[in-house]
Amino acid sequence: MPTTPTTASLHPATTATSPEPPAELSLEERMAFINAAMTARLDEAAISYEVNTAHIPVEPVDLADLVTLPLTPTLQPPTPHPTPVAALLQRAHHRLLTGGWCAGTFENESGALCLFGAVRTEARFDLRLEMAAMAVLLEAIQRAFGDRFQSAVAFNDAHKGSDGRVPIRLLGQAADLAHARSI
């Protein structure tokens, strides 16, 4: 009589001693396992990205050409200085940061102002305040550059063709100088 194979004869390894159920992993071991698995998946994704984008031409970008203002959501004016000349210079500095700087003219076609234009605009027809601010500005310029410049306008126009960082920075320094002197 033919015998039918039993389950034990089909799977001889199962009839021997059954392996012990796997020991439960500790939290640290599970975290290490998951970390290794995720690292492998991220490495695979990075390689896949590199392969899939290798044909796309990329030109390097010089960030110095792009970033000219502080990286703030909105360029808000700082807390105003309590003294009139310092506050005027601070407002003029903020105006140049937000509205732009120019050289060779009081105001260019896009509305950017020179140092003198920013001070005069922010002085709002107060000639005495304007003259005091221009005197402090000239002193700040001469502290930085010596007697090379005899007026703030000459200093401003000497930077024609540049991005205006130096004149704008000196205007901010003049505001700080006026504040330090309480004028």
Side-chain angles (χ1 to χ4, degrees), residues 27-106:
L27 177 62
E28 290 80 19
E29 291 169 332
R30 287 184 299 186
M31 293 299 288
F33 177 73
I34 290 171
N35 185 25
M38 289 304 297
T39 300
R41 290 178 71 186
L42 288 172
D43 289 344
E44 183 181 331
I47 291 170
S48 176
Y49 174 80
E50 291 295 325
V51 169
N52 290 337
T53 60
H55 68 283
I56 300 172
V58 177
E59 293 182 24
V61 176
D62 184 12
L63 293 180
D65 292 340
L66 301 176
V67 180
T68 59
L69 295 175
L71 298 175
T72 57
T74 57
L75 191 58
Q76 297 297 320
T79 305
H81 288 306
T83 57
V85 174
L88 167 62
L89 290 167
Q90 188 179 36
R91 288 192 313 269
H93 179 253
H94 182 72
R95 179 175 287 271
L96 291 183
L97 285 175
T98 57
W101 169 86
C102 69
T105 183
F106 183 84

Side-chain angles (χ1 to χ4, degrees), residues 6-18:
T6 64
T7 310
S9 65
L10 289 176
H11 301 289
T14 58
T15 59
T17 55
S18 297

